[in-house]
Amino acid sequence: NPLNIPNSPYKIPIKSLEERYQLLSELGSGSFGKVTLAKIRSKNENQIFENMCKHKNTLLFPLNSDNNKTSNYTVVAIKTMIKKLNNLQDYSRVKEVNFIYQVKSDPSLIQIYDVFVDKNSLKLHIVMESMDQNLYQLMKKRKSTLFSPITIKSILSQILAGITHIHSCNYFHRDVKPENILVTNSIQYQSDLIARGLPAIKDSYVVKLADYGLARNINNLKPYTSYVSTRWYRSTEILLRQNYYSYPA
């Protein structure tokens, strides 16, 4: 039974988490919820891919919809919203859900595979592409080993490509920080790209922006949040408690 979203062409379905995914291990948690590594149950792989192909111009739409290589989507990360909303219809107003359905897929953004409310827990689940680690974890592992100038330029250009794409869809992210920049070694990523008919890349790392919970639409005329909990990466506008700001933030 789809959960209709008022004044919107998309729907949030109600499904069984347990029937569709095998949970493997917890990856982390935050203010929104927890993230769990999971495996798509084989009987559901084709169905999930076919459903993704129905959502053009959203983050659910596969980057290469002509190649039904569902085996590449077997291992995923599932973000589960901690708070259970009183009314199922309220899930349609979650900012991250609106972002997913209004921003097009892009190589610089984490691909979304599924969005649904679990029929047992009645909690929102966002199923997404799984990456090795975030940029903070990578820097911490390297300790005093510096990135080469070429690698720094590559990482920065991929981050900026993601930000530029978000801006082109009339959104701005508001929470770009190392923990929300996901990274995978490109050698591990090559076989998946080739299998999906996508061009291989020359960069040392594949970098993608994630976590769209604080993203805002530029056309939203309501006062913006003047307090953002992430202290270390606040823009000047937010530090000065402005209620209206835009892409430069």
Side-chain angles (χ1 to χ4, degrees), residues 40 45 67-76 113 129-130 191-197:
I40 300 175
E45 288 180 3
N67 197 348
N68 191 352
K69 296 285 185 180
T70 51
S71 60
N72 297 300
Y73 304 135
T74 300
V75 178
V76 297
Y113 298 149
E129 179 179 7
S130 175
S191 59
D192 178 56
L193 289 175
I194 294 169
R196 288 158 59 190

Side-chain angles (χ1 to χ4, degrees), residues 133-145 147 178:
Q133 59 197 319
N134 63 47
L135 186 57
Y136 173 77
Q137 292 168 329
L138 176 61
M139 291 189 296
K140 193 174 180 181
K141 282 181 183 178
R142 291 173 65 90
K143 297 180 181 178
S144 59
T145 305
F147 290 110

Side-chain angles (χ1 to χ4, degrees), residues 7-26:
N7 304 317
S8 175
Y10 49 83
K11 302 172 181 178
I12 298 181
I14 299 174
K15 305 173 183 176
S16 169
L17 172 67
E18 187 177 342
E19 290 176 7
R20 294 172 73 81
Y21 302 97
Q22 177 188 350
L23 303 184
L24 302 176
S25 61
E26 188 169 323

Side-chain angles (χ1 to χ4, degrees), residues 212-226:
Y212 315 120
L214 285 178
R216 289 293 294 266
N217 192 298
I218 194 68
N219 297 317
N220 189 330
L221 300 179
K222 296 179 181 178
Y224 292 166
T225 308
S226 61

Side-chain angles (χ1 to χ4, degrees), residues 91-214:
Y91 287 112
S92 67
R93 289 184 278 275
V94 172
K95 288 186 177 68
E96 188 154 13
V97 170
N98 282 276
F99 181 94
I100 289 167
Y101 281 96
Q102 293 179 38
V103 173
K104 297 179 183 178
S105 292
D106 186 84
S108 299
L109 302 185
I110 287 294
Q111 172 87 62
I112 305 299
Y113 298 149
D114 204 359
V115 178
F116 65 96
V117 174
D118 179 49
K119 68 179 183 181
N120 297 315
S121 68
L122 298 181
K123 289 185 177 182
L124 177 69
H125 297 274
I126 299 173
V127 183
M128 66 192 85
E129 179 179 7
S130 175
M131 302 281 278
D132 288 345
Q133 59 197 319
N134 63 47
L135 186 57
Y136 173 77
Q137 292 168 329
L138 176 61
M139 291 189 296
K140 193 174 180 181
K141 282 181 183 178
R142 291 173 65 90
K143 297 180 181 178
S144 59
T145 305
L146 301 179
F147 290 110
S148 70
I150 293 175
T151 299
I152 290 174
K153 288 179 181 179
S154 167
I155 291 173
L156 182 57
S157 67
Q158 291 179 73
I159 293 170
L160 292 175
I163 293 172
T164 300
H165 178 73
I166 291 172
H167 290 180
S168 73
C169 297
N170 296 322
Y171 268 88
F172 52 107
H173 191 286
R174 294 201 306 173
D175 201 22
V176 177
K177 59 183 179 180
E179 291 88 343
N180 290 341
I181 299 167
L182 302 188
V183 183
T184 289
N185 189 300
S186 65
I187 295 174
Q188 301 170 20
Y189 207 76
Q190 296 292 357
S191 59
D192 178 56
L193 289 175
I194 294 169
R196 288 158 59 190
L198 298 173
I201 60 170
K202 299 178 181 178
D203 301 300
S204 300
Y205 298 100
V206 176
V207 177
K208 302 194 178 197
L209 289 181
D211 201 330
Y212 315 120
L214 285 178

